[in-house]
Amino acid sequence: MAFCSQLLCVVPYEATRAAGFFAEEGLDVELVYTRGGSAAIQALNGGAVEYAATSFDAALNAFASGADIVRVATTGRLPLFALATSVENAESITSVGDLEGRVLGVSALGNADHALLRYLLGRAGVDLNSVEFATVGTNLYDALRLGQLDAGMVQEPALTLLQERGARVLVNGMDIEDANEYLGGAYEFMGVAVRREEIEERREEIRARNLGGCLATGDHHRG
């Protein structure tokens, strides 16, 4: 199973494997770290892996581009990203609207953080042609700490560490109140996709995999 290498994307799958829940269901799961959800979906669509654990955005974009894939499990109901300023720009950037003409960090173009950031900018009336998207990979902490970017999409623990240094949080998708305000509520974010042609032959495996995920998350009503 391939998935993005962002820290919070890792937790449901590594925790499930470490606790032995996959093994209890008779599954031997190899986790493949990729550079973002788009790369994980490409690996799935190309036949390199059997499953891809990504954001809904990555799966939806791939499906719209012709990838015949289906989501079969959900592991997260909130975006795992927050939009934060660099430490040095915390006073000059106080809202998403202040990002006009700025350099903004994302993991890679087309990934979930890029799609979410574009949405937030558009919602605030920012001209997307005025901003520069810098692809930094999955760790933006140092770039924002050192002021190499004006703002960027981060996860934990980078968000907390930046806040401790004085950075400003503009939107925190991991907070249900911000999700309600900016996105209209929670929505299916992280989950697992499979190639449509293999659903029937993998149905029992998928059910077992979902059960393992339920055990790891404490949600015994899914799967």
Side-chain angles (χ1 to χ4, degrees):
M1 179 166 61
F3 62 99
C4 77
S5 299
Q6 301 271 12
L7 177 61
L8 295 184
C9 301
V10 175
V11 175
Y13 314 108
E14 286 288 11
T16 299
R17 181 169 66 172
F21 295 141
F22 281 141
E24 284 184 11
E25 299 299 325
L27 301 174
D28 182 13
V29 179
E30 177 185 357
L31 300 178
V32 180
Y33 288 63
T34 64
R35 187 183 174 91
S38 296
I41 289 290
Q42 289 174 5
L44 173 66
N45 199 39
V49 297
E50 285 72 42
Y51 298 91
T54 73
S55 71
F56 181 73
D57 309 71
L60 184 62
N61 288 335
F63 182 81
S65 299
D68 197 13
I69 58 175
V70 178
R71 287 283 288 264
V72 296
T74 300
T75 59
R77 69 186 186 97
L78 289 174
L80 301 179
F81 297 101
L83 174 56
T85 70
S86 65
V87 174
E88 68 179 40
N89 283 312
E91 296 302 320
S92 61
I93 300 175
T94 61
S95 69
V96 179
D98 293 333
L99 297 177
E100 187 97 24
R102 300 284 190 164
V103 179
L104 310 178
V106 295
S107 61
L109 299 182
N111 278 352
D113 55 340
H114 179 227
L116 180 57
L117 179 53
R118 285 174 58 91
Y119 168 77
L120 293 173
L121 293 171
R123 182 182 183 278
V126 175
D127 181 3
L128 293 178
N129 293 321
S130 75
V131 303
E132 177 184 348
F133 294 105
T135 56
V136 185
T138 57
N139 185 4
L140 274 68
Y141 171 70
D142 282 333
L144 290 171
R145 177 178 63 85
L146 298 173
Q148 297 169 342
L149 302 167
D150 294 315
M153 301 295 285
V154 297
Q155 291 191 320
E156 292 288 10
L159 177 62
T160 296
L161 294 173
L162 287 168
Q163 285 181 283
E164 290 175 351
R165 290 179 172 271
R168 182 186 299 273
V169 180
L170 302 177
V171 179
N172 185 359
M174 294 173 279
D175 183 283
I176 187 60
E177 292 185 2
D178 275 12
N180 286 333
E181 178 178 353
Y182 291 95
L183 303 174
Y187 69 101
E188 180 175 328
F189 188 67
M190 289 300 297
V192 180
V194 65
R195 290 182 289 272
R196 183 186 300 275
E197 64 185 16
E198 297 180 5
I199 285 182
E200 287 305 319
E201 67 181 87
R202 296 188 180 280
R203 187 168 297 278
E204 291 305 314
E205 184 177 85
I206 291 169
R207 286 173 176 165
R209 188 182 299 269
N210 280 344
L211 180 57
C214 291
L215 291 169
T217 60
D219 180 359
H220 299 281
H221 301 287
R222 287 191 298 117

